[in-house]
Amino acid sequence: MSSNRDTTGVRELRLDPGAQALLSLDTMQSPFRELPPSAYANLLVVSSTAPDDVASVLDDAGADLSRVGQIPITGSEVDYDGPMWTSDPVVPDDLTGLSMRLSRVVNSLGAGRGWLVFDNLNVFLLYAREERVLRFFDHVATLARNHEIYGVYTLVRDAIDDQTYERIRRSFDVEVDRR
């Protein structure tokens, strides 16, 4: 498993099966460049970024988009007709609806080979009460851990206060700072 504070400059995350990593990035950084090539073979992305844009970044990284899914986080309809599968969108404060979608999908990811990536936890903190968000991510990390799914949960560290960060990081096994 990766060390608690990784500042080595190595761009590829190395996690044990079931490990849940909290990844701190700057605003313009993409979490997808941190993933090992094996992650692109069985990947679920939870993102407020439009599926076309997520697919473009993943395609550039060499992902087989037919093996990638996205749960879009948005209050709008999603118009995407590409090789990546998508679910119906979920509004950022519907943590129950998102949890239900994740519970249905997590079994199909496969123990020891599936990856779950949340590309921006900050979105949830903007729309839902902090306590609900903390409970939700504790639940999701436990669900992924129990199914031996690799988890990467990205946040813009500089956009949240130290107390909130400390409370969030308790749900995760590994802390990686790439700022």
Side-chain angles (χ1 to χ4, degrees):
M1 203 179 311
S2 190
S3 66
N4 276 353
R5 193 165 270 285
D6 187 349
T7 56
T8 63
V10 175
R11 301 313 306 178
E12 185 177 301
L13 287 175
R14 293 186 180 98
L15 301 173
D16 293 332
Q20 306 303 295
L22 181 60
L23 176 62
S24 295
L25 297 176
D26 287 327
T27 24
M28 300 307 287
Q29 290 177 289
S30 168
F32 302 116
R33 72 182 200 165
E34 307 291 332
L35 302 177
S38 61
Y40 299 122
N42 208 15
L43 176 64
L44 174 61
V45 177
V46 179
S47 179
S48 59
T49 303
D52 284 319
D53 296 334
V54 170
S56 178
V57 169
L58 291 173
D59 189 47
D60 289 347
D64 176 0
L65 294 179
S66 68
R67 310 263 317 154
V68 176
Q70 180 179 349
I71 300 174
I73 305 300
T74 179
S76 307
E77 287 300 314
V78 173
D79 185 26
Y80 173 75
D81 189 28
M84 184 175 72
W85 68 264
T86 60
S87 74
D88 289 333
V90 178
V91 294
D93 68 343
D94 185 7
L95 301 179
T96 301
L98 179 54
S99 180
M100 290 169 49
R101 282 178 179 79
L102 287 169
S103 294
R104 285 189 295 248
V105 175
V106 77
N107 285 327
S108 66
L109 288 176
R113 57 187 177 86
W115 285 75
L116 171 62
V117 175
F118 278 79
D119 77 348
N120 190 348
L121 300 188
N122 301 69
V123 169
F124 300 99
L125 290 167
L126 288 173
Y127 289 94
R129 286 187 347 266
E130 184 175 310
E131 285 302 318
R132 286 188 63 222
V133 173
L134 293 170
R135 280 193 314 270
F136 172 74
F137 281 107
D138 189 55
H139 165 74
V140 171
T142 299
L143 178 69
R145 193 178 293 117
N146 289 343
H147 284 86
E148 294 186 358
I149 303 299
Y150 300 92
V152 179
Y153 306 79
T154 307
L155 57 75
V156 177
R157 174 63 182 93
D158 296 334
I160 60 172
D161 63 62
D162 291 342
Q163 182 181 6
T164 300
Y165 179 79
E166 288 302 315
R167 294 179 70 203
I168 289 171
R169 77 174 186 81
R170 291 180 196 143
S171 295
F172 303 100
D173 308 310
V174 178
E175 185 180 358
V176 181
D177 191 339
R178 299 284 204 232
R179 296 176 290 154

